[in-house]
Amino acid sequence: MTPPATPEQLRFNMIEQQIRPWNVLEADILDLLSVVRREDYVPAAHRSLAFFDMEIPLGDEPGQCMLSPKVEARTLQDLRIQPAEKVLEIGTGSGYMAALLAHRAAQVLTLEIDETLAQRAAETLRSHGVANAEVRHADGAKPLPSGPMFDVIVLSGSVAKVPQNLLGSLNIGGRLFAIVGEEPMMRAHIVTRTSEGQWETAQPWDTVAPRLLNFPEPSRFSF
């Protein structure tokens, strides 16, 4: 009888069969996926699914999930986070993406609208020694208080359009990542602030992700 695959074997398969084919080729990103163990952030009931190419449910509400491994890894690679940068994430979920971001950046603030998920993610991050990520129970769709500026903003879910209010919270050279559009076709957007009043947008790949709550939706009325 063939013994069951070990987590290390499953992780290797995930990287080689899901993540590399999605053009995630930077060695430091691939190495990080072995340092921050995805299974540690998956709810116990779904831990057997940790390495599958799928979204993993986190709670009782629709859309509460971990994004697929390839989307998380490609996002991390494309943002090119530097060690001194400050990151804002909207949609903490399990805390896994916050942990990845924290290993790349100086400081991470991650906002989660669901209080139970926020508490659970904070405990998980703390238990795995991630000291530079702060989980805050908050609605990321509400305008940020004036003052804090970020080098990177990550929306860990989809929106109908890029939130314009967040673009003003980017430092010059800062990048905002969002998955934008409607099912069945959405596109990753990376918006870079090039000067005080200018931004440039790249749309490097397609995917689909559950909606973040409370961001504006287009009107469904027709005349």
Side-chain angles (χ1 to χ4, degrees), residues 79-87 105-107 151-152 173 175:
L79 284 169
R80 303 191 182 281
I81 299 167
Q82 302 302 306
E85 291 188 319
K86 184 178 180 181
V87 179
Q107 185 179 354
D151 303 295
V152 175
R175 291 86 66 207

Side-chain angles (χ1 to χ4, degrees), residues 112-196:
E112 173 54 55
I113 194 170
D114 183 283
E115 187 172 11
T116 300
L117 289 183
Q119 291 175 348
R120 190 182 302 154
E123 292 168 2
T124 304
L125 287 163
R126 188 164 49 247
S127 70
H128 291 96
V130 182
N132 61 327
E134 176 194 350
V135 181
R136 190 175 297 173
H137 172 224
D139 182 354
K142 292 183 177 178
L144 297 172
S146 59
M149 301 291 288
F150 299 92
D151 303 295
V152 175
I153 298 176
V154 181
L155 276 65
S156 288
S158 70
V159 288
K161 59 182 181 179
V162 173
Q164 297 299 302
N165 64 300
L166 291 176
L167 296 180
S169 296
L170 285 174
N171 290 319
I172 307 300
R175 291 86 66 207
L176 178 144
F177 173 86
I179 297 168
V180 181
E182 304 284 336
E183 290 196 63
M185 180 63 71
M186 303 177 186
R187 290 195 68 87
H189 284 52
I190 298 178
V191 185
T192 302
R193 188 172 195 172
T194 56
S195 68
E196 191 64 34

